[in-house]
Amino acid sequence: MGSVVQNDKNRAPVRVRGRSWTPLRRAKAGVRARVAVALLAVTAVASGCAQSPGGAAHPAPGQQAPPAEALDSYAARLRAEQTARVAAAKRWHLAAVPLTAPAPPASKPEITARDGFEVEGQEEENLPPVFTTVPTRQKVVFLTIDDGEEKDPDFLRMMSELRIPYTAFLSDYLVNKDYGYFKKMQQRGVVLNNHTLHHPYLPGLSYAQQKHEICAMQDIIEKQYGKRPKLFRPPYGNYNQDTLRAAKTCGVKYAPIWDEEVFVDHWEYREWDRDLHPGDIVLTHFRGRKDWKGTMPDMVRRFLDHVTAKGYAVARLEDYL
């Protein structure tokens, strides 16, 4: 039989199996109860604003749950972030609040060239792999945006308010008109990558010409933004062995292209099933009404409404490489 402890002189004794119920144990139990309530609050908030399509709740990208004593403030912060996200989705006229991506993988997936996209010497020379999808089971896609012609401040504001990650591939002949616009983008956490100086058809150039187009753009990005990119996207998705050799000489590690392309008024697909798949890379461009029947925020709305309806979150490509 367990011991009998008097909790209060005006109450009946309480029998506790196998242990003595002291004031210290009561205090510890109260702490545990408060922590449990805070954990439930965090779980409830996370399930509303950071639930992965597979059902597991995670903090927003870059966040880690703090120690138990800070759980209350952590839950409050998550609630505030979700409230802001809901308000932003309404302000930008989205059909639903975008799903938040799960935490980046602790072990990065192995990235290899897609079958049929290799060049001669791909493995022997360890050339940057060309790929359209990142190997993952998580229901995430990656938004990538090319060239840099349209410099829409509403786009920057929309993506910041919605907290949607994306990757930029820049061509100097377009971005050199306003390097500052892309600096603001970088300050919001966007990685700026290489899309050549002048956006040529690279297989039509000599090795030396290709190397200039790629490596000189590496130099410009380093000078303007402080870091040489690891990612390079060949214009039009066209490349040959010289392209990847030249890219490797100036520090490029990966050459992602795309599996889908989104426009302001439609989607285009590489695969026969015309559908999204876990880890797909989605392409779009910095374009506006001059080229499209709408604005970049209009394009983002089409993109987000579609991926959210399909149960996908938008993740940061660099987090998987």
Side-chain angles (χ1 to χ4, degrees):
M1 298 292 293
S3 60
V4 177
V5 180
Q6 187 77 33
N7 271 348
D8 188 283
K9 65 180 180 180
N10 295 321
R11 298 190 180 194
V14 175
R15 186 173 299 280
V16 182
R17 187 178 299 275
R19 62 183 176 184
S20 175
W21 194 252
T22 64
L24 177 58
R25 287 187 179 276
R26 287 199 299 273
K28 289 181 177 179
V31 171
R32 286 196 296 270
R34 289 194 295 273
V35 170
V37 169
L39 280 169
L40 287 172
V42 171
T43 302
V45 173
S47 64
C49 72
Q51 183 160 336
S52 71
H58 299 279
Q63 294 179 337
Q64 296 295 326
E69 62 268 19
L71 283 172
D72 285 339
S73 61
Y74 177 66
R77 186 169 73 252
L78 285 182
R79 285 194 296 268
E81 289 174 357
Q82 174 64 359
T83 298
R85 195 172 173 88
V86 170
K90 183 177 181 180
R91 182 161 55 251
W92 292 103
H93 309 293
L94 300 185
V97 180
L99 297 171
T100 301
S107 298
K108 308 301 183 186
E110 181 183 3
I111 305 296
T112 58
R114 175 172 168 160
D115 288 347
F117 287 62
E118 311 95 333
V119 297
E120 184 178 351
Q122 181 76 57
E123 294 185 3
E124 296 84 351
E125 299 182 43
N126 192 28
L127 299 177
V130 175
F131 57 102
T132 64
T133 301
V134 172
T136 180
R137 295 182 179 180
Q138 296 175 329
K139 290 193 72 174
V140 296
V141 295
F142 306 99
L143 179 63
T144 62
I145 311 180
D146 280 8
D147 61 47
E149 180 173 1
E150 182 74 6
K151 303 166 184 68
D152 186 345
D154 286 341
F155 167 77
L156 290 182
R157 185 163 58 252
M158 180 182 193
M159 300 301 269
S160 294
E161 291 178 2
L162 291 169
R163 301 183 65 191
I164 302 299
Y166 59 101
T167 296
F169 291 89
L170 306 181
S171 291
D172 189 60
Y173 83 106
L174 293 172
V175 303
N176 64 17
K177 299 175 176 64
D178 189 355
Y179 287 129
Y181 176 84
F182 299 95
K183 185 66 175 179
K184 293 175 184 176
M185 191 176 292
Q186 183 187 44
Q187 291 168 347
R188 288 162 167 81
V190 177
V191 179
L192 307 179
N193 292 292
N194 190 329
H195 199 43
T196 71
L197 290 174
H198 302 102
H199 205 275
Y201 174 71
L202 290 173
L205 303 181
S206 68
Y207 172 81
Q209 290 170 324
Q210 292 197 52
K211 184 176 180 181
H212 175 69
E213 280 286 338
I214 300 167
C215 295
M217 188 62 194
Q218 292 284 89
D219 295 339
I220 287 173
I221 293 177
E222 182 177 29
K223 178 181 178 181
Q224 295 295 329
Y225 305 111
K227 190 174 182 180
R228 292 177 78 79
K230 300 296 184 183
L231 276 60
F232 157 70
R233 173 171 284 163
Y236 316 107
N238 295 130
Y239 59 95
N240 59 15
Q241 185 186 46
D242 281 347
T243 309
L244 301 184
R245 281 177 169 171
K248 181 181 177 180
T249 66
C250 45
V252 169
K253 300 297 183 184
Y254 303 99
I257 50 175
W258 61 90
D259 215 46
E260 295 89 21
E261 184 171 1
V262 61
F263 298 84
V264 75
D265 56 352
H266 70 284
W267 282 68
E268 293 182 0
Y269 299 85
R270 187 183 297 274
E271 312 300 340
W272 64 270
D273 60 358
R274 298 181 58 79
D275 202 0
L276 296 175
H277 317 91
D280 276 358
I281 299 170
V282 180
L283 164 68
T284 192
H285 289 81
F286 290 98
R287 293 287 186 270
R289 291 191 180 278
K290 185 176 70 173
D291 301 289
W292 284 347
K293 298 177 182 178
T295 64
M296 289 199 72
D298 293 332
M299 176 277 298
V300 173
R301 190 176 304 111
R302 172 175 284 274
F303 167 75
L304 289 176
D305 284 348
H306 182 61
V307 300
T308 304
K310 289 280 187 176
Y312 284 83
V314 184
R316 184 175 179 267
L317 179 60
E318 289 81 1
D319 288 340
Y320 286 71
L321 302 178

